Amino acid sequence: MNIREEQEIKEHNMYRSCACFSDETKGRDIQEEKCDIRTEFQRDRDRIIHCKSFRRLKHKTQVFLSPGGDHYRTRLTHTLEVAQIARSISRALSLNEDLTEAIALGHDLGHTPFGHAGERALSNYTSKPFHHNEQSVRVVEKLEKNGRGLNLTWEVRDGILNHRSAYTPSTLEGAVVRISDKIAYVNHDIDDGIRAGILDEDSLPKECTKVLGSCTRDRINNTIHAIVKHCIDKDIVELPPEFQQAQSELRKFMFKDLYTNPVAKSEETKAERVIGLLYQEYIKDLSKLPQEFQDYINQGEDKEIVVCDYIAGMTDNYAIECFNKLFIPKSW
């Protein structure tokens, strides 16, 4: 018996029957020889961490475009915070922590530069709305490793696809990531909003802070404890009703006072214009795409999808660099 097999046995001894066990995975699209040390979900986690798309998250916007301070969140730090919250919940509920972590680390790989402004911009120019969760799956299935993809297990890809509110993951581990994403971005965006001087704790709705807590640390801690207490003997992952209501109201407040705040979002119109002009230029002249993306089109991929692939993979800085190269005249 090798180390992986020993870990698979431990999973059955440690986790609840409603957990997803690595030796019962639905597998990969391309069958591979199993590792003798790592379980299948541990391999997926490692593949995501080592991929190029994951490294690029450090230069992609979370809320504030190109913030001046060193302590504002980026898409990478958000991802790590989601992973930590999700691991804490999964561990407490005796679910598969490795699967949870792999989903969390991969859930935003398809996010555009400039945050949701980039997502909206691409949707304005494409025949169907651009959704970052669907793009994240495309990244791991197709775009990484020069078109070979990461060949992740079905359960990890399902969790990545279904981490948004409108979707339903097939595993409880995926449900943990979906709820952890909301906990992370609402509370950490409040923290960044306070850092930027746009929000302060006293401005938050009192009916929400009374339930959730009066500081970022307490809100996260109290919400995690509420989920664990509410779901410890159930085959579901959800907030208890009181916390659900408070979280929903706090999220509405954030959309009104931060996500659509003219100070916080003053540069988004410019960002959307950058993305739109890049898209139009590449669609008009496909020869301006890198060769690997031209190859995708020559292999039969839809050019609209491939141009989105290229732009969505850009960091904020690289998108601006490409814009300058295409549209800003150089000195003689």
Side-chain angles (χ1 to χ4, degrees):
M1 182 181 297
N2 59 38
I3 294 173
R4 171 187 46 82
E5 291 171 333
E6 290 176 354
Q7 291 193 74
E8 290 171 348
I9 292 173
K10 287 181 181 178
E11 286 186 358
H12 284 277
N13 293 329
M14 292 170 54
Y15 299 151
R16 295 158 62 195
S17 60
C18 57
C20 187
F21 299 98
S22 57
D23 62 349
E24 296 177 358
T25 173
K26 294 183 180 180
R28 310 178 187 277
D29 284 347
I30 301 173
Q31 189 170 355
E32 301 178 12
E33 184 177 349
K34 292 184 177 181
C35 178
D36 59 353
I37 296 177
R38 296 168 298 165
T39 67
E40 292 293 81
F41 299 145
Q42 289 170 355
R43 292 181 81 187
D44 285 356
R45 176 199 59 205
D46 294 352
R47 289 180 183 187
I48 291 168
I49 286 177
H50 291 296
C51 77
K52 291 185 292 185
S53 299
F54 185 79
R55 295 196 293 276
R56 291 198 297 270
L57 294 176
K58 66 182 177 179
H59 293 304
K60 292 194 177 192
T61 291
Q62 176 63 16
V63 173
F64 293 92
L65 271 66
S66 302
D70 292 333
H71 298 141
Y72 289 93
R73 268 77 180 185
T74 66
R75 191 62 58 179
L76 178 60
T77 56
H78 162 73
T79 293
L80 296 176
E81 287 164 341
V82 172
Q84 186 55 51
I85 292 170
R87 286 178 58 192
S88 296
I89 295 172
S90 275
R91 186 183 298 132
L93 293 177
S94 297
L95 299 175
N96 194 317
E97 194 174 329
D98 293 324
L99 172 57
T100 302
E101 186 176 21
I103 295 170
L105 292 173
H107 83 282
D108 269 355
L109 290 178
H111 238 300
T112 60
F114 310 123
H116 290 285
E119 197 171 12
R120 289 195 302 270
L122 286 179
S123 293
N124 288 334
Y125 291 94
T126 53
S127 57
K128 69 171 188 174
F130 180 94
H131 295 304
H132 73 272
N133 59 318
E134 296 174 1
Q135 187 67 17
S136 295
V137 174
R138 183 163 169 80
V139 167
V140 300
E141 288 185 343
K142 171 70 179 178
L143 300 178
E144 272 293 335
K145 298 181 71 173
N146 299 317
R148 299 192 303 275
L150 300 179
N151 197 30
L152 304 181
T153 56
W154 181 89
E155 291 79 7
V156 172
R157 288 178 285 141
D158 173 83
I160 290 173
L161 176 65
N162 294 302
H163 77 268
R164 294 181 62 199
S165 299
Y167 295 71
T168 304
S170 299
T171 65
L172 291 180
E173 290 80 1
V176 168
V177 173
R178 183 176 61 170
I179 204 168
S180 298
D181 185 33
K182 297 181 182 63
I183 296 170
Y185 78 68
V186 168
N187 287 289
H188 292 137
D189 292 352
I190 289 173
D191 191 41
D192 281 353
I194 293 172
R195 180 171 291 107
I198 296 171
L199 301 176
D200 60 67
E201 283 290 348
D202 291 337
S203 69
L204 302 182
K206 295 296 185 292
E207 65 272 18
C208 298
T209 57
K210 183 179 179 180
V211 174
L212 300 172
S214 57
C215 68
T216 298
R217 179 192 63 189
D218 288 349
R219 281 189 290 273
I220 294 174
N221 187 59
N222 292 341
T223 305
I224 290 173
H225 277 78
I227 292 169
V228 172
K229 184 178 180 180
H230 181 64
C231 302
I232 192 68
D233 295 319
K234 303 175 183 176
D235 293 353
I236 56 172
V237 177
E238 64 181 14
L239 283 165
E242 185 181 19
F243 273 75
Q244 176 62 50
Q245 178 66 25
Q247 183 88 345
S248 177
E249 291 301 318
L250 185 58
R251 190 167 177 268
K252 290 178 184 177
F253 167 83
M254 292 292 287
F255 270 94
K256 179 174 68 74
D257 283 56
L258 181 64
Y259 299 143
T260 59
N261 184 291
V263 176
K265 298 301 180 182
S266 58
E267 298 298 294
E268 283 198 352
T269 300
K270 298 177 186 177
E272 292 184 30
R273 189 176 298 123
V274 167
I275 296 295
L277 288 171
L278 287 176
Y279 180 85
Q280 293 177 71
E281 187 69 14
Y282 291 130
I283 281 289
K284 183 175 66 177
D285 187 354
L286 297 173
S287 68
K288 292 179 179 177
L289 292 171
Q291 188 58 51
E292 66 179 287
F293 290 90
Q294 294 183 46
D295 290 343
Y296 292 149
I297 295 172
N298 294 334
Q299 293 163 9
E301 292 275 0
D302 185 281
K303 67 178 182 179
E304 181 180 281
I305 293 174
V306 174
V307 170
C308 283
D309 289 339
Y310 182 47
I311 295 175
M314 294 178 177
T315 62
D316 294 13
N317 291 337
Y318 185 65
I320 293 171
E321 180 183 327
C322 290
F323 178 87
N324 289 337
K325 182 179 179 181
L326 291 172
F327 298 107
I328 304 301
K330 294 180 180 179
S331 300
W332 182 254

